[in-house]
Amino acid sequence: MPFEFEKQSIEDIILVKPKVFGDNRGFFMESYKKSEFIQNGIDTEFQQDNHSKSSAKVLRGLHYQAKPYEQAKLVRCIKGKIYDIAVDIRPNSKTFGKYVKIELSEDNKFMLYIPKGFAHGFVVLSDEAELIYKASGEYNPKADRGILWSDKELNIDWGIDFEPILSEKDKNQPNLKGINKEEIQ
């Protein structure tokens, strides 16, 4: 099996560790194999691939899409190192408002599966970072939503000792209490 699947502290979030075959020439790994993902609880039909590049100290998030445009994601850092954050915003979930934080890097090659009903964000820990991620739905700008990264109720430990670089949009997101729960799965 070319993958190891590790369930996280919040149900349905799964850390995917690919088997990497390396030698003096470089490496080879499978980054997605539908049959194995389905056997391990990830039965998601992906519709869009994204690639982002960010500079040191950039924090992006926390982002999500409103109904009916919610997106599950499979996130991988292909250059640099980040902390990836997934916050449960499913209104009826027993872990509503809780989060998972995972280090993703070009070295560990881990992937994080984040189901629908979660807000997602990351902070760059290296000089720059590039992420590629699969999404279960196409991006819809009218459904674009977010939560303030520093919301006191979430109390996310971003693991940083610097002031992050934020977009104007991310500086002005509502707190968790301010989101419209009817827009979430």
Side-chain angles (χ1 to χ4, degrees):
M1 179 171 357
F3 302 98
E4 186 179 324
F5 295 86
E6 290 182 5
K7 294 189 182 262
Q8 299 300 293
S9 59
I10 297 178
E11 190 174 0
D12 301 325
I13 293 184
I14 301 171
L15 182 64
V16 182
K17 297 180 176 179
K19 183 162 177 79
V20 180
F21 302 92
D23 60 25
N24 63 335
R25 300 168 298 157
F27 74 89
F28 171 83
M29 64 177 250
E30 293 179 0
S31 59
Y32 179 74
K33 189 173 190 178
K34 185 176 181 177
S35 61
E36 288 201 29
F37 276 62
I38 289 172
Q39 288 172 9
N40 287 279
I42 303 175
D43 188 10
T44 299
E45 201 63 44
F46 293 109
Q47 303 293 320
Q48 180 173 316
D49 283 353
N50 301 314
H51 186 153
S52 76
K53 180 179 179 180
S54 301
S55 302
K57 300 182 181 180
V58 165
L59 189 151
R60 294 183 187 266
L62 300 158
H63 304 144
Y64 66 96
Q65 293 270 120
K67 281 197 280 193
Y69 302 101
E70 309 99 307
Q71 294 178 324
K73 296 177 180 173
L74 182 64
V75 182
R76 181 164 60 111
C77 181
I78 60 168
K79 183 176 183 182
K81 180 168 70 170
I82 65 164
Y83 280 136
D84 206 49
I85 305 285
V87 179
D88 189 346
I89 58 172
R90 300 170 296 181
N92 299 318
S93 170
K94 64 184 179 216
T95 53
F96 176 80
K98 305 292 183 205
Y99 70 92
V100 167
K101 175 174 85 174
I102 298 288
E103 182 181 298
L104 302 179
S105 73
E106 67 182 296
D107 293 331
N108 68 26
K109 298 178 180 34
F110 296 168
M111 295 173 273
L112 190 63
Y113 174 74
I114 305 167
K116 293 178 181 179
F118 284 77
H120 173 250
F122 65 89
V123 63
V124 177
L125 304 173
S126 51
D127 289 338
E128 64 181 13
E130 289 190 47
L131 276 66
I132 56 172
Y133 56 98
K134 295 184 166 303
S136 64
E138 294 182 14
Y139 173 75
N140 183 315
K142 292 180 181 170
D144 189 23
R145 302 287 187 276
I147 300 169
L148 187 64
W149 72 279
S150 59
D151 183 345
K152 300 286 187 231
E153 183 178 340
L154 294 176
N155 196 30
I156 295 173
D157 174 9
W158 287 91
I160 57 175
D161 60 359
F162 53 81
E163 194 64 34
I165 300 167
L166 302 161
S167 70
E168 285 305 310
K169 177 178 93 170
D170 288 345
K171 288 178 186 177
N172 296 299
Q173 297 287 10
N175 289 325
L176 181 63
K177 287 181 180 175
I179 67 173
N180 181 350
K181 293 180 181 158
E182 292 178 11
E183 292 185 332
I184 303 161
Q185 163 185 2

